[in-house]
Amino acid sequence: MKKRIEELRSEFHKRLEEISDKRALNDLRVAYLGKKGEVSALLKGMKDLSNEAKKEAGAIINTLKKDVESAIKSYFITLEQEELYERLQKEWYDITWPEKTSVGSIHLLETAMRNLERLFTSMGFDVLNGPEMEDEEYNFTLLNIPDDHPARDTQDTFWLSNGKLLRTHTSPVQLRGMLEHKPPFKFVAPGRTYRNEAIDATHEHSFHQLEGMVVDKNITVANLIFTLKQIISYIFENDVEVRLRPSYFPFVEPGFEMDFQCQICHGKGCKVCKKTGWVEYLGCGMIHPNVLRNGGIDPDVYSGFAFGGGVERLIMMKYSIDDIRHFTAGDIRFLSQF
Ligand code: DAH
């Protein structure tokens, strides 16, 4: 029996040396000190011994038990310290680091675009997207602006080596929409547009437009005026007067320019509205029969209106922003005001 006990002792120490985590240590504890463990087995094995031998064996087994217990306990503490040390290596943090880091926010242009989308979807419009890299056909030809038309000169843009161009307006989405949907329909197409412009406080090479289009039977200019008034009043959170002036765009007939009452002086006349009380805002009109035909729609059955305008200009007016370049300059002092 003595021999067996010594074997168990040295086996225990050998196994203990191989252990590197608390779970394995616990398994070892159960294997030796548990109900069905080695020490219990030794105690059970004593029943056939003489009284004298029992006494002697009992004492040795007890010593073994105590040794095993204390070895496990102290190794447990060692493992815990190692674990703590490892965590401290990984989980430190610098108490000198500034607590308040600033959180970003949505750009005011993006907010305005999302609000406009919300307005139009609430009026039953769909929101369509079109490519910024556009075909010449969609940007000009199908919009009733043929190759030799002087209207092309007013919208110079960036031509790409693959023969395409960066769209000069969101109007090409009108055709994409017409070719994909059967009337009646109402949609808006917000998005980025480009022009080869000399940049100044009111001109940028990249800006945003919102295009709108409604095609149904019996659509008239009255529907157009109502819709435009909604946009302006929604943006300025106020009931804003609008007016139409005759104008020319090849893709509408009749064509108009819409003005709204200056929101700086409320019609009295100031520097911003050049003392007229009105601010010129967007192009609009009744969709030209040629454009409807190009979109696969019969102009004898359907009519429609369309409009398109710059988004930056509206926001500039709303917040009295004096330079369009602020939008993209990335100056946090400007951006954090909105
Ligand atoms: N696409 C024109 C531009 O960028 C604006 C415009 C005028 C859009 C009349 C329209 C429209 O839909 O009917 O100058």
Side-chain angles (χ1 to χ4, degrees):
M1 184 148 219
K2 260 191 197 165
K3 203 172 151 222
R4 174 72 191 129
I5 292 173
E6 283 322 306
E7 267 171 22
L8 278 177
R9 185 192 294 280
S10 67
E11 199 185 292
F12 170 78
H13 284 290
K14 219 190 255 161
R15 283 175 70 178
L16 188 68
E17 265 170 38
E18 282 161 14
I19 281 174
S20 58
D21 66 89
K22 288 200 286 194
R23 178 192 287 247
L25 183 64
N26 191 47
D27 289 347
L28 184 64
R29 186 185 62 78
V30 172
Y32 276 78
L33 303 175
K35 264 191 200 153
K36 291 181 183 159
E38 300 289 358
V39 173
S40 307
L42 285 176
L43 291 171
K44 269 183 211 146
M46 279 185 358
K47 68 179 188 302
D48 303 327
L49 297 179
S50 65
N51 276 353
E52 193 68 13
K54 255 188 200 157
K55 226 181 184 178
E56 196 186 342
I60 312 173
I61 293 171
N62 242 345
T63 319
L64 172 71
K65 196 178 162 194
K66 280 199 181 124
D67 290 349
V68 168
E69 272 172 354
S70 81
I72 285 180
K73 213 175 189 175
S74 74
Y75 198 50
F76 184 83
I77 293 169
T78 312
L79 284 179
E80 274 217 307
Q81 277 172 344
E82 270 173 15
E83 238 175 51
L84 180 68
Y85 183 72
E86 235 171 76
R87 272 183 59 193
L88 286 174
Q89 294 293 307
K90 275 191 273 176
E91 295 179 14
W92 63 276
Y93 97 100
D94 181 354
I95 55 163
T96 64
W97 193 256
E99 275 261 308
K100 279 189 193 151
T101 49
S102 51
V103 180
S105 61
I106 296 173
H107 194 278
L108 80 156
L109 235 173
E110 181 61 28
T111 308
M113 302 284 274
R114 288 187 193 180
N115 285 342
L116 283 168
E117 281 183 24
R118 197 170 309 141
L119 166 72
F120 278 100
T121 48
S122 80
M123 296 198 293
F125 283 62
D126 284 328
V127 177
L128 297 190
N129 284 314
E132 290 174 23
M133 181 174 73
E134 189 52 283
D135 295 328
E136 184 182 345
E137 274 221 301
Y138 282 98
N139 198 81
F140 294 122
T141 323
L142 295 172
L143 282 166
N144 216 21
I145 315 175
D147 225 2
D148 53 358
H149 198 288
R152 288 204 179 197
D153 292 343
T154 62
Q155 300 199 1
D156 188 19
T157 184
F158 303 96
W159 292 82
L160 307 173
S161 53
N162 62 4
K164 297 192 181 217
L165 50 82
L166 294 185
R167 65 177 179 187
T168 58
H169 48 180
T170 41
S171 301
V173 190
Q174 288 190 25
L175 280 144
R176 295 187 173 275
M178 283 192 274
L179 291 169
E180 269 169 34
H181 300 86
K182 281 209 159 70
F185 54 69
K186 314 191 260 192
F187 59 75
V188 283
R192 197 188 285 266
T193 48
Y194 304 84
R195 303 255 172 114
N196 188 0
E197 295 271 10
I199 294 168
D200 61 25
T202 52
H203 296 89
E204 258 285 20
H205 51 67
S206 320
F207 54 101
H208 293 75
Q209 283 193 344
L210 178 90
E211 192 80 14
M213 178 174 209
V214 170
V215 175
D216 201 343
K217 290 177 179 156
N218 306 319
I219 294 292
T220 70
V221 176
N223 304 116
L224 169 64
I225 295 174
F226 172 82
T227 310
L228 295 178
K229 196 169 155 61
Q230 296 300 308
I231 310 176
I232 303 300
S233 300
Y234 180 75
I235 288 286
F236 291 107
E237 300 169 54
N238 194 3
D239 188 19
V240 182
E241 287 294 315
V242 300
R243 72 176 187 189
L244 296 191
R245 282 178 295 109
S247 186
Y248 174 71
F249 300 97
F251 32 96
V252 279
E253 181 58 40
F256 309 101
E257 222 154 303
M258 184 205 74
D259 303 339
F260 60 87
Q261 197 180 55
C262 179
Q263 292 301 292
I264 305 289
C265 64
H266 294 281
K268 288 196 197 80
C270 66
K271 220 170 76 187
V272 173
C273 59
K274 298 185 193 107
K275 302 230 181 301
T276 63
W278 295 92
V279 178
E280 293 177 15
Y281 181 50
L282 53 64
C284 57
M286 302 305 291
I287 304 164
H288 197 290
N290 288 349
V291 176
L292 285 172
R293 258 182 237 114
N294 290 341
I297 292 171
D298 183 352
D300 292 328
V301 180
Y302 290 101
S303 59
F305 68 73
F307 60 86
V311 180
E312 279 86 347
R313 284 192 51 204
L314 266 192
I315 308 172
M316 287 170 76
M317 180 95 195
K318 177 169 182 181
Y319 296 113
S320 305
I321 297 168
D322 59 1
D323 196 319
I324 194 170
R325 291 167 289 195
H326 284 312
F327 286 105
T328 46
D331 187 335
I332 292 185
R333 289 168 306 176
F334 169 76
L335 295 171
S336 59
Q337 294 175 72
F338 304 99

